[in-house]
Amino acid sequence: MAHTSIPASLASACDDVRPATAADTVAGIQPSLVAAPATTEQASAVMRAAAALGLAVIPRGAGTKLHWGYPPERADLVLDLTRLDQVVEHAAGDLVVTVQAGVRLEHLASVLAEAGQRLALDCAARPLPSGPATAGTIGGVLAAGAAGPLRLRYGTPRDLLIGITIVRADGTIARSGGKVVKNVAGYDLGKLFAGSRGTLGLITQATFRLHPIPAAAAYVIVSCDSAAACARLVSAALAAAVSPVAAELHLASLAGPCELAVALEGDHDGVAQRSGMLADLMAVQETSHVAAVASQPPAWWRSAGGAPQEGTLIQVAFWPGKLGSVLTGIAAAAERAGLDPVLRGSAGSGVLHLSVPRSADPARVAGLVASLRAALHDRGSAVVQHAPPPVRDLVDLFGPVPSLNLMRAVKQQFDPDRVLSPGRFAGGI
Amino acid sequence: MTQDVATLAPRLAAICGKDAVITDPLELATYECDGLTAHRCRPGLAVLPQTAAQVADVVRVCAQENVPFVARGSGTGLSGGALPAADGVLIVTARMRAIVEIDAESRRAIVEPGVTNLAVSKAAQPYGLFYAPDPSSQQVCSVGGNVAENSGGAHCLKHGFTVHHVTGLEIVTPAGELTWLGDGTGLAPGYDLTGAFTGSEGTLGIVTKIIVKLTPIPQAVTTLLAAFETTGQGGAAVSAIIGAGILPAAIEMMDALSIEAAEASVACHYPQGAGAVLIVELDGPEQDVLAESAAVRQIAADAGAFEIREAADPDDRAAIWRGRRAAFAAMGRISPAYIVQDGVVPRTALHDVLDRIGELSAAAGLRVANVFHAGDGNLHPLVLFDDSSEAEAAAAEELSGAILDECIRHGGSITGEHGVGVDKSKYMPRMFGPDDLDTMQLLRCAFDPAGLCNPGKVFPTPRLCGEVPGVRREPHPLVTSGQAELF
Ligand SMILES: Cc1cc2nc3c(=O)[nH]c(=O)nc-3n(C[C@H](O)[C@H](O)[C@H](O)COP(=O)(O)OP(=O)(O)OC[C@H]3O[C@@H](n4cnc5c(N)ncnc54)[C@H](O)[C@@H]3O)c2cc1C
């Protein structure tokens, strides 16, 4: 679309505005322009100009999850936030960091590691068409609400976020929270924006609580011949006095063995003692399985929800104690649909990911999603994070959404003209 | 809104039963303030529903009649959040006290809003679980109030605040609709309205059920008491502990004046001559706690502690905590009146801010006792004054404000856990700009366009929500009633 002319108001709002190319496609929709502001103020000026021009805006970080959700109803301008790439302040003594939205998690991790600290968000990395694999940018991970195995101990991004700077659809810059871990002054807009998928405003800066990198870590790994046995072991590991920070499972095929890995962190002696204890306990629980203690996670650990971009990725969330029946429900749903998804997930936290290859028959995938929802009732959800167009056409990606009318009212207040990622989110928000 | 709310009594009685509606002025006086007694207002009437459906019906009547309503839990709030409206209905959750379900395998409980914080932990105990957020008022305060205030406690340094332990809320919206936010998983599709609602101080609706996370009771707990000559030394020890990568469950500090008051009140027998005591509680697997307690002892000694005590059994632990728990109430022993502040500063600024509080206190000629959650920089300066002197009361108020300014100047907050309520709304513009406050109130407008739910709290000036299609067609009620600038 090289013929697109750049509106003067946009060009004066930001020093980097360019025509979009095929590489800027958003879930199959081709935008016409890309703007890459270098500061929150520039981002605000771009939003003001875009509002005046009536452009629909799609915020973008590294682009690892841009294919999530519905395709936008309209997409005129991609707002590339990767030039906001500064670690603004690392207050090591306070275990707090303030970062701009475009900073990649890997870069932030290397800066924090110099002080022996980390942001306890271990989202899976994803290869990109250009450049190395990345877990994404701070803004993108926040907007997607993405988390990894450590969620068992540290939760999701909203649990670590203590302050946020946003730019509204009309260009207004606003802050909430702050840079102290304990703070209840005013509404906590960070909670609202975490997981909002770019539909309420741009996230341009965020402040997080940090944690020390533990002196030692160990992984107790066991392979079970049934999902039921695996569920019993997860339950035993969580009940034991070993303080696991993650409990992940992996089934390459629903017919095959269920691999379980439980992570323990702390000081050297403590971890050594607890991992030994846990391995023994697992052996007693399920005598046929031998648990190994390793200093590194299994190879599949980092591939959380590792569906190839082109396939279908379904997130199943449930009350953690129901793991056994959920695993049975998933197996039954998959068998009924005639599919054999790869199953990965944070068993101890009540979240699993099913990946189905692109080649799968769309009607079968839709059937799988419907059966999963029926099995979960109202105490859980099956959300299709991303799916190829033929599947997208057949399923409601988000399923039933509690209080959708309130969510619509929130969207209406923040983005009355529906210019921010319109139609991408739950209920077509 | 000049209509007398008392005329609603028969309609509310038809919903909740006659004995659940209070109109007698003397009885209503019980509800005229919360834990912050400086603000008082007798409610138009009070109602004590027993079910969520009754709450919804009551709210619907209020919405129809344009009558403001305020939720009240146990009334222990310290910012006037539950201050009633004279022309409004106070909805008290005291009769909604059922623990609906405990799913020990999922480590979740569903409770009604009037259940006390401690009752949840007691109910969970047989399963080896507890409810982690533990405000000092936990014997009386309600979980509904905790959600509204996003309450913390001494142990939230490690275990997190209320918002980290709530995964679903059943609420009655300000329009009177009963609905669920979240489904207990923490991952319900759509916006995280559970998170956004938590800490909204009763201004977005009334909570009628709460799904909370339960936490395994730690295998081992040990409590250390370290006595220092100065708060500076104590503060240095706090920094060194955190710097060593140790995350205690709690780190609390008291200065000389608060120790003096606590000794006078509960004879806690803290080490003689201490200018500051530090209470450090460690919990977790036994081996880890042992290693950490040895490290903390060493760090405290290096920072100048002249006496260190350690308590590993529950009775000894309670003895150490006795002085700290009594600290607020104990001020009555050494001063006719006091103001509790709740400012927060980055932990590394503790030393500077404490020095500055000392200077401000000397300049104002008023004593300030310091009790604080040192691990997360949450100060509770207690400004002591004689309330029989109007001048001294005014000076105390001014000194409190100056302390909050100091917190803001260091990048901190005007409130760490007590909330803004009516008490600190005037300080909000010192911490946030007009655009920040305006943006926060978009959320308010989404939930409560008519501005009837706990009006006049948190924000110094209400945002007029504008025309909301299908909700309200007439001009904003605050405008027609001429009250827009009242709040
Ligand atoms: C001695 C003492 C010690 C304290 N220690 C701590 C502490 O360590 N940490 C801490 O955080 N706080 C502390 N507090 C403050 C107070 O106990 C907490 O804020 C508590 O959460 C309030 O609960 P409550 O049930 O008393 O609420 P109330 O005072 O009745 O109400 C507080 C707010 O919640 C709203 N509300 C109540 N119920 C509902 C509901 N069902 N739905 C919607 N909104 C509702 C009210 O409208 C009001 O705005 C202390 C108070 C005292 C008196």
Side-chain angles (χ1 to χ4, degrees):
Chain A
M1 287 209 147
H3 58 275
T4 310
S5 65
I6 294 171
S9 57
L10 265 184
S12 66
C14 174
D15 60 352
D16 183 352
V17 184
R18 54 186 189 264
T21 68
D24 298 308
T25 302
V26 182
I29 309 293
Q30 167 77 59
S32 47
L33 295 163
V34 178
T39 61
T40 296
E41 288 68 29
Q42 271 191 19
S44 155
V46 170
M47 287 309 290
R48 253 196 319 276
L53 294 164
L55 303 179
V57 175
I58 313 289
R60 182 178 76 190
T64 57
K65 298 170 193 73
L66 208 60
H67 57 303
W68 283 27
Y70 295 108
E73 282 160 20
R74 299 188 293 138
D76 303 310
L77 173 67
V78 164
L79 225 127
D80 172 357
L81 292 157
T82 54
R83 278 177 80 204
L84 287 164
D85 60 356
Q86 300 301 305
V87 176
V88 180
E89 183 191 7
H90 176 201
D94 295 316
L95 285 153
V96 164
V97 72
T98 298
V99 271
Q100 290 186 322
V103 172
R104 288 197 180 182
L105 259 59
E106 297 78 16
H107 173 62
L108 179 60
S110 70
V111 171
L112 300 176
E114 284 171 29
Q117 298 179 359
R118 68 176 174 181
L119 174 60
L121 267 181
D122 54 346
C123 320
R126 195 176 264 298
L128 287 175
S130 59
T134 174
T137 60
I138 285 296
V141 164
L142 261 178
L150 283 176
R151 72 199 311 153
L152 179 64
R153 168 67 182 89
Y154 298 100
T156 60
R158 58 90 97 173
D159 295 305
L160 296 162
L161 183 69
I162 58 174
I164 193 166
T165 303
I166 57 137
V167 176
R168 274 159 55 183
D170 64 1
T172 307
I173 299 170
R175 294 175 308 124
S176 113
K179 54 177 196 174
V180 282
V181 293
K182 196 169 182 185
N183 173 15
V184 295
Y187 293 160
D188 189 351
L189 296 182
K191 300 285 182 293
L192 191 62
F193 273 71
S196 66
R197 306 272 185 100
T199 60
L200 293 178
L202 308 175
I203 298 167
T204 59
Q205 191 165 301
T207 304
F208 292 95
R209 173 184 192 170
L210 303 174
H211 288 88
I213 295 174
Y219 300 82
V220 180
I221 304 168
V222 65
S223 178
C224 311
D225 47 23
S226 78
C230 188
R232 282 196 297 276
L233 287 185
V234 170
S235 168
L238 294 183
V242 294
S243 287
V245 292
E248 297 282 304
L249 62 73
H250 174 71
L251 282 97
S253 158
L254 291 182
C258 178
E259 289 176 78
L260 171 68
V262 178
L264 308 172
E265 294 181 345
D267 81 285
H268 285 102
D269 293 348
V271 166
Q273 191 225 18
R274 284 184 280 137
S275 52
M277 234 174 91
L278 182 59
D280 291 349
L281 180 120
M282 287 191 168
V284 174
Q285 280 269 323
E286 304 285 335
T287 39
S288 57
H289 311 295
V290 183
V293 178
S295 62
Q296 293 296 320
W300 48 264
W301 186 270
R302 286 270 156 217
S303 68
Q309 304 234 133
E310 325 79 66
T312 300
L313 179 68
I314 307 165
Q315 173 187 281
V316 175
F318 52 94
W319 284 34
K322 305 289 180 246
L323 178 63
S325 62
V326 167
L327 286 171
T328 312
I330 289 173
E335 194 180 313
R336 202 169 315 131
L339 293 170
D340 186 20
V342 175
L343 185 61
R344 267 285 290 116
S346 303
S349 318
V351 51
L352 298 171
H353 288 96
L354 277 72
S355 15
V356 182
R358 188 187 178 87
S359 56
D361 171 24
R364 286 172 186 264
V365 181
L368 172 66
V369 173
S371 308
L372 288 172
R373 285 187 184 142
L376 290 159
H377 306 295
D378 58 346
R379 285 199 174 168
S381 58
V383 169
V384 180
Q385 305 284 41
H386 60 77
V391 173
R392 247 172 12 208
D393 292 345
L394 292 179
V395 292
D396 171 355
L397 300 187
F398 294 87
V401 181
S403 289
L404 185 57
N405 57 341
L406 283 173
M407 292 179 194
R408 292 206 164 110
V410 170
K411 169 76 173 175
Q412 164 75 18
Q413 288 292 332
F414 278 84
D415 181 21
D417 299 324
R418 295 179 53 76
V419 296
L420 281 157
S421 303
R424 298 218 71 185
F425 198 26
I429 280 174
Chain B
M1 259 195 298
T2 45
Q3 164 207 15
D4 185 358
V5 267
T7 60
L8 296 182
R11 285 171 73 185
L12 301 186
I15 296 167
C16 302
K18 215 161 174 269
D19 72 322
V21 179
I22 299 174
T23 51
D24 173 54
L26 270 181
E27 278 184 71
L28 285 174
T30 330
Y31 298 111
E32 67 186 8
C33 66
D34 60 11
L36 182 69
T37 54
H39 297 267
R40 288 173 190 273
C41 175
R42 197 170 293 184
L45 58 78
V47 54
L48 288 85
Q50 280 181 288
T51 66
Q54 288 176 355
V55 175
D57 289 345
V58 168
V59 170
R60 221 170 300 123
V61 168
C62 292
Q64 275 162 13
E65 303 299 329
N66 251 325
V67 166
F69 53 92
V70 176
R72 179 185 170 103
S74 305
T76 66
L78 291 174
S79 53
L83 183 75
D87 58 351
V89 174
L90 187 72
I91 301 173
V92 185
T93 62
R95 292 187 182 173
M96 300 175 72
R97 293 212 165 180
I99 291 180
V100 180
E101 181 183 339
I102 292 187
D103 178 344
E105 274 285 299
S106 293
R107 301 178 303 283
R108 297 283 190 279
I110 305 182
V111 304
E112 289 188 338
V115 171
T116 63
N117 175 293
L118 192 60
V120 183
S121 282
K122 282 193 173 149
Q125 199 198 356
Y127 306 98
L129 301 167
F130 75 116
Y131 179 52
D134 62 338
S136 315
S137 51
Q138 68 177 160
Q139 298 210 8
V140 267
C141 67
S142 72
V143 180
N146 293 169
V147 169
E149 302 289 0
N150 186 18
S151 297
H155 295 81
C156 60
L157 176 63
K158 176 171 182 178
H159 295 288
F161 311 103
T162 299
V163 72
H164 299 117
H165 298 271
V166 171
T167 56
L169 294 170
E170 183 193 64
I171 66 159
V172 171
T173 69
E177 187 199 349
L178 190 62
T179 185
W180 273 96
L181 312 179
D183 58 8
T185 63
L187 287 168
Y191 299 131
D192 179 10
L193 296 185
T194 308
F197 190 101
T198 306
S200 62
E201 304 196 24
T203 61
L204 299 181
I206 300 188
V207 178
T208 50
K209 276 187 201 73
I210 303 117
I211 307 180
V212 297
K213 279 190 193 175
L214 301 172
T215 305
I217 296 172
Q219 186 190 19
V221 182
T222 191
T223 308
L224 294 143
L225 178 85
F228 298 88
E229 266 150 31
T230 66
T231 52
Q233 290 174 330
V238 173
S239 291
I241 291 167
I242 302 288
I246 298 170
L247 183 61
I251 311 183
E252 302 283 306
M253 186 144 70
M254 292 168 70
D255 72 358
L257 195 51
S258 51
I259 298 169
E260 179 195 325
E263 291 290 354
S265 170
V266 295
C268 48
H269 303 304
Y270 287 168
Q272 283 278 320
V277 294
L278 205 60
I279 299 173
V280 181
E281 191 152 285
L282 300 157
D283 71 15
E286 198 147 21
Q287 182 76 33
D288 299 59
V289 170
L290 275 176
E292 286 177 352
S293 95
V296 168
R297 294 178 80 111
Q298 186 60 50
I299 289 168
D302 290 349
F306 65 81
E307 186 174 335
I308 300 172
R309 299 178 187 165
E310 179 161 358
D313 78 68
D315 288 344
D316 289 352
R317 276 211 307 278
I320 288 184
W321 279 103
R322 190 162 65 231
R324 169 62 187 89
R325 291 206 194 283
F328 287 13
M331 291 303 145
R333 296 282 178 142
I334 60 167
S335 174
Y338 59 94
I339 296 174
V340 184
Q341 272 307 352
D342 182 36
V344 189
V345 295
R347 188 172 36 235
T348 48
L350 269 177
H351 186 71
D352 289 354
V353 173
L354 286 176
D355 278 356
R356 186 74 191 120
I357 291 176
E359 289 167 22
L360 289 166
S361 150
L366 292 172
R367 293 181 299 167
V368 177
N370 284 296
V371 182
F372 46 96
H373 308 299
D376 42 30
N378 186 191
L379 305 166
H380 288 316
L382 298 141
V383 179
L384 312 185
F385 68 103
D386 182 352
D387 55 352
S388 65
S389 152
E390 238 170 71
E392 208 169 299
E397 183 65 39
E398 192 166 324
L399 175 55
S400 295
I403 292 174
L404 292 186
D405 281 338
E406 208 53 40
C407 295
I408 296 170
R409 204 168 66 76
H410 281 88
S413 170
I414 58 172
T415 173
E417 56 183 17
H418 296 165
V420 177
V422 280
D423 191 44
K424 291 182 214 81
S425 59
K426 59 177 178 291
Y427 298 123
M428 285 289 275
R430 301 193 195 176
M431 185 168 163
F432 294 108
D435 286 344
D436 305 335
L437 296 174
D438 181 73
T439 304
M440 289 178 191
Q441 290 192 78
L442 293 175
L443 188 60
R444 175 72 186 268
C445 288
F447 277 75
D448 183 23
L452 291 175
C453 188
N454 210 5
K457 311 290 168 69
V458 186
F459 301 101
T461 16
R463 182 183 211 274
L464 300 182
C465 298
E467 194 76 26
V468 179
V471 176
R472 176 171 43 75
R473 250 158 235 100
E474 67 274 31
H476 195 281
L478 291 178
V479 177
T480 41
S481 65
Q483 296 202 6
E485 42 315 77
L486 253 179
F487 292 104

